[in-house]
Amino acid sequence: GWAVSNLLVSGIATGQTDGSAHYFHQMNIGWGAINLALAGSGYLAARRAARQPMVGRADNVRAQLRTENLYLLNAGLDVAYLATGLYLLEKSRNPTATGSSDRWRGYGQSLLLQGGFLLLFDGFQYATHHRHGQSLYPLLSRVSIGPGAVAVTWPLGGALR
């Protein structure tokens, strides 16, 4: 929805604005196209994965951790987008900077909007997946694997911890 709304709103607004607003919408169109491509490929990958259910708890935990790590990596990229947006805004204030100050301002504002939204989205998704995954970890924390043996430990009571 975010990608499509960026494409629609900024697609219309780009032709109706000038100055930094024009560049803001121009950058949002690029973000919308990239986000739509990523969302589409993610959707197709999820459909493929749903056809091949995971058979063991270890596979589920591995997939869970991979998903959580992906959202954390994305959050780091989102922070980089925000920092770049702030840099471009600052560059737009520099009269000796090469290029149009309107372009730097518009691109910087777009990066702040997109990076802020994506940081909220990735943070929410990470928190949701992490909370969901908590039910998988306590069970595995009782399993020990060693050379030639698999052991399952079960706490007898609070005093023996």
Side-chain angles (χ1 to χ4, degrees):
W2 178 253
V4 171
S5 65
N6 271 291
L7 287 169
L8 290 175
V9 171
S10 288
I12 293 167
T14 299
Q16 299 175 350
T17 57
D18 57 358
S20 65
H22 173 79
Y23 292 108
F24 171 80
H25 291 294
Q26 185 181 59
M27 179 72 94
N28 284 345
I29 291 171
W31 277 96
I34 291 168
N35 287 337
L36 188 60
L38 290 173
S41 66
Y43 175 74
L44 293 175
R47 283 186 53 140
R48 255 191 318 270
R51 282 185 246 140
Q52 299 173 347
M54 302 202 189
V55 293
R57 187 175 302 278
D59 287 339
N60 284 329
V61 169
R62 202 173 300 113
Q64 176 71 31
L65 291 174
R66 191 172 33 249
T67 300
E68 288 181 24
N69 288 335
L70 180 62
Y71 283 119
L72 288 176
L73 173 69
N74 284 346
L77 291 173
D78 301 337
V79 171
Y81 300 148
L82 291 168
T84 304
L86 289 173
Y87 169 77
L88 292 177
L89 281 179
E90 188 58 32
K91 186 172 182 164
S92 75
R93 293 183 183 103
N94 183 350
T96 62
T98 59
S100 163
S101 65
D102 284 340
R103 181 177 48 189
W104 298 132
R105 187 177 314 108
Y107 286 176
Q109 290 168 338
S110 178
L111 279 169
L112 289 174
L113 173 70
Q114 301 296 330
F117 172 81
L118 291 173
L119 183 60
L120 290 173
F121 177 83
D122 291 331
F124 174 78
Q125 291 296 328
Y126 170 79
T128 301
H129 282 276
H130 186 71
R131 209 170 330 147
H132 172 265
Q134 291 299 311
S135 63
L136 296 173
Y137 308 134
L139 297 173
L140 282 179
S141 67
R142 295 184 180 123
V143 177
S144 300
I145 299 174
V150 174
V152 177
T153 58
W154 199 263
L156 298 174
L160 297 176
R161 287 184 176 185

